[in-house]
Amino acid sequence: MPSFADYDRRNYPTVDVATGYDGWAPTYEQTVMDEMDLVLLDRLRRPEWPRVRKAADLGCGTGRTGAWLRAQGISHIDGVDVSAGMLARAKERAAHTTLTQADVRDTGLTGGAYDLVIASLIDEHLPELAPFYAEAWRLAAPGARCVLVSFHPQFMMTTGMPTHYTPQGGEPVAISTNLHLLSEHVTAALDAGWVLTELTETLIDDTWLTAKPKWKELRGQPFTMATVWTRPQS
């Protein structure tokens, strides 16, 4: 399978995930737009959000996804993140029922307890996808959904842009980034037992070009995607 290093055009100094998001936490909310992820969640036909009783928000970050889930009427949301800095921001937001500092591949949460497992913009930090889908399966009750919002692999290959942030007064820093093809997602999820229920994608449009005018040559290119998986009832 291709490596992101084969496409990287920035060659920024790179740090591990916890270090990177600790450093990004103070400015994360000013640099991430809803069009990257929340707009995709709005577009999904499944799951039926008001019917979700208990959600596991993996890689919960500053609590953006948790707050969106709370607005859909979900009352119990357990958040997990590897970054203490991001968890501190999520705690201030107060959208989650519990917050745990842990790896999304080994959360420590109760198995079989959730009818929704959700993760947004984290899979590019995982060298392999199988451990994530296996942990999501462990957490999921029969009939549960797993929703994953990801950067589209074509966007990553076309732009050669790693996940990165710019510290105040400093130079850009990349956070360890991996490239996963759609086939890798499908293989890892199916091997874990998941059934694909829905797939939707966003394209770079006028909204993005207003914010990122240098991206004009990317108009119409895929940007992010959301996949919905279902754990069969038996």
Side-chain angles (χ1 to χ4, degrees), residues 28-198:
Y28 186 82
E29 293 290 335
Q30 287 75 53
T31 53
V32 175
M33 296 171 59
D34 290 352
E35 284 76 13
M36 296 174 70
D37 51 358
L38 302 185
V39 166
L40 273 172
L41 296 182
D42 270 324
R43 190 185 301 172
L44 293 176
R45 295 173 296 167
R46 305 175 184 85
E48 296 178 18
W49 306 105
R51 295 189 178 184
V52 174
R53 297 163 298 159
K54 192 173 183 180
D57 181 10
L58 307 188
C60 64
T62 60
R64 292 176 68 255
T65 301
W68 187 90
L69 293 172
R70 184 75 65 173
Q72 311 313 305
I74 302 173
S75 60
H76 188 115
I77 309 165
D78 293 326
V80 173
D81 203 281
V82 73
S83 164
M86 299 294 267
L87 286 170
R89 299 284 170 167
K91 184 176 180 180
E92 293 173 358
R93 204 174 210 135
H96 293 87
T97 307
T98 68
L99 290 167
T100 301
Q101 186 173 5
D103 192 296
V104 299
R105 297 162 292 186
D106 184 17
T107 65
L109 298 179
T110 303
Y114 298 91
D115 44 1
L116 173 66
V117 181
I118 189 168
S120 184
L121 305 178
I122 67 162
D123 62 280
E124 79 270 18
H125 300 307
L126 304 175
E128 302 291 339
L129 295 174
F132 167 80
Y133 283 109
E135 176 66 357
W137 178 269
R138 187 188 70 81
L139 296 175
R145 310 281 195 189
C146 175
V147 177
L148 182 64
V149 178
S150 312
F151 287 108
H152 200 289
Q154 183 174 333
F155 173 80
M156 299 177 71
M157 296 163 82
T158 299
T159 64
M161 186 188 304
T163 299
H164 66 280
Y165 72 102
T166 304
Q168 187 172 4
E171 297 297 321
V173 176
I175 302 173
S176 180
T177 301
N178 300 278
L179 173 66
H180 298 299
L181 302 180
L182 288 172
S183 59
E184 293 179 68
H185 282 279
V186 171
T187 298
L190 293 180
D191 283 351
W194 294 103
V195 175
L196 183 60
T197 307
E198 187 173 359

